[in-house]
Amino acid sequence: MDDKECDDMILKAAGWLSKAMKQLSCSAPIAVTSTACKKLKNDDLAVLMSEAFHLVRFQNEKLKQLKTTLSDTKNKLIENQQWVISLQEQVIDCKDKQLQAVQTTVKSTVEDSVKEQFKSYSDAVQENVMVCKPDSDSLPVGKLKDVVREVAHEEDRLRSVIIFGVPEREPANLAKRVEEVFNEMMVRPSIREISIVGKQSAGTTSRPIKVKLSSPSIVKTVLGQAKLLRNSDKLKSVFVKPDLSIEERTERRQLVQDLKQRRISEPDKRHYIRGGAVHSEDIKSKK
């Protein structure tokens, strides 16, 4: 319904109201009562009723059209939001690829430089017929592997999110369950790997789901949309959190314990965790 149709409908309604008040000898809409309507003759009443019926029918049809238009507009808005998010992900992914290309170039340049320096040093050693003993303080091979493994684990953690509260079903379809959560958050990230954390035991209704994404920047985008789950009717008990390290989980566990103790010792205040600490504030009384 365009502006002209809306104006026409308003004018028709205003004209009919003015005509009805004039025939009822009423100076204000509040004066139009059932008693006032009894003053009309049957013919006049019939005309007014016929006009009122068609006016209401016309308005009802326009309201139906307006409802359909609003629904279409809402769907297009959601599609546009998803398109914008997809473009943001593509831009972020492109930046990541550019950064990786720069890192690869720098690494290659450094390696070439080191090889050249090492070759010069090796030539000098051969010329002077020197025999060098292995450095006893060098990093052991086993320790070096542990360091590499730890770095790889940290990289994996920064690219992952943990989903809590998703009920387990049979047969388990992790990809579909994760897709349902992300759809509710209005995000469609590129997923690299999905796995369940922990072993299933008697009485367990849900286990955390670890989802590995393409980059830390995509993880940040997903975590920023996690707040939408609070308003979800079917997924309001689901939470999406970052993949914390062992140290961070220990600190978080201690903060939760402190929060519980604070709620017991000071029940008249509101307590919450923010910025790695437990905060308290007075509850404002409702008047």
Side-chain angles (χ1 to χ4, degrees), residues 155-191:
E155 175 71 13
D156 178 79
R157 188 178 65 78
L158 293 175
R159 292 173 178 264
S160 303
V161 296
I162 306 295
I163 303 177
F164 298 90
V166 178
E168 296 193 25
R169 308 169 189 158
E170 292 295 341
N173 189 338
L174 286 180
K176 184 173 181 59
R177 285 148 58 190
V178 170
E179 182 182 356
E180 291 175 357
V181 175
F182 285 161
N183 284 341
E184 201 71 14
M185 294 165 54
M186 296 180 64
V187 293
R188 292 191 296 178
S190 177
I191 298 174

Side-chain angles (χ1 to χ4, degrees), residues 76 92 137 195 207 215 219 269:
K76 290 180 180 179
I92 293 172
D137 295 331
S195 60
R207 287 176 289 173
S215 69
V219 169
K269 295 184 177 181

Side-chain angles (χ1 to χ4, degrees), residues 133-269:
K133 295 183 179 180
D135 188 356
S136 58
D137 295 331
S138 299
L139 191 65
V141 175
K143 183 65 176 178
L144 181 60
K145 289 182 178 180
D146 291 339
V147 172
V148 173
R149 190 179 299 110
E150 184 177 346
V151 172
H153 177 74
E154 181 69 10
E155 175 71 13
D156 178 79
R157 188 178 65 78
L158 293 175
R159 292 173 178 264
S160 303
V161 296
I162 306 295
I163 303 177
F164 298 90
V166 178
E168 296 193 25
R169 308 169 189 158
E170 292 295 341
N173 189 338
L174 286 180
K176 184 173 181 59
R177 285 148 58 190
V178 170
E179 182 182 356
E180 291 175 357
V181 175
F182 285 161
N183 284 341
E184 201 71 14
M185 294 165 54
M186 296 180 64
V187 293
R188 292 191 296 178
S190 177
I191 298 174
R192 296 288 187 265
E193 185 180 336
I194 304 175
S195 60
I196 292 182
V197 180
K199 297 181 179 180
Q200 189 172 23
S201 58
T204 301
T205 57
S206 67
R207 287 176 289 173
I209 300 175
K210 179 176 180 178
V211 184
K212 185 177 179 181
L213 305 177
S214 58
S215 69
S217 55
I218 298 298
V219 169
K220 185 177 180 180
T221 301
V222 171
L223 293 175
Q225 292 291 106
K227 58 181 178 292
L228 297 181
L229 294 175
R230 302 172 191 167
N231 301 323
S232 172
D233 293 332
K234 58 181 180 180
L235 296 177
K236 62 177 59 177
S237 61
V238 175
F239 302 91
V240 180
K241 300 293 182 182
D243 187 8
L244 302 177
S245 64
I246 297 177
E247 294 78 8
E248 290 172 333
R249 289 199 295 269
T250 302
E251 292 177 2
R252 180 72 181 181
R253 194 176 300 112
Q254 183 60 50
L255 283 175
V256 173
Q257 291 297 326
D258 294 344
L259 178 65
K260 292 179 180 179
Q261 291 296 329
R262 192 79 65 88
R263 286 174 175 170
I264 295 174
S265 61
E266 299 179 81
D268 296 332
K269 295 184 177 181

Side-chain angles (χ1 to χ4, degrees), residues 79-108:
E79 291 177 359
N80 289 337
Q81 288 175 336
Q82 292 176 342
W83 179 71
V84 170
I85 291 173
S86 177
L87 283 181
Q88 290 175 338
E89 291 178 355
Q90 292 178 22
V91 171
I92 293 172
D93 190 51
C94 182
K95 289 183 177 179
D96 289 339
K97 289 180 179 178
Q98 291 177 345
L99 179 60
Q100 290 175 3
V102 171
Q103 291 175 337
T104 301
T105 302
V106 172
K107 181 180 178 182
S108 177

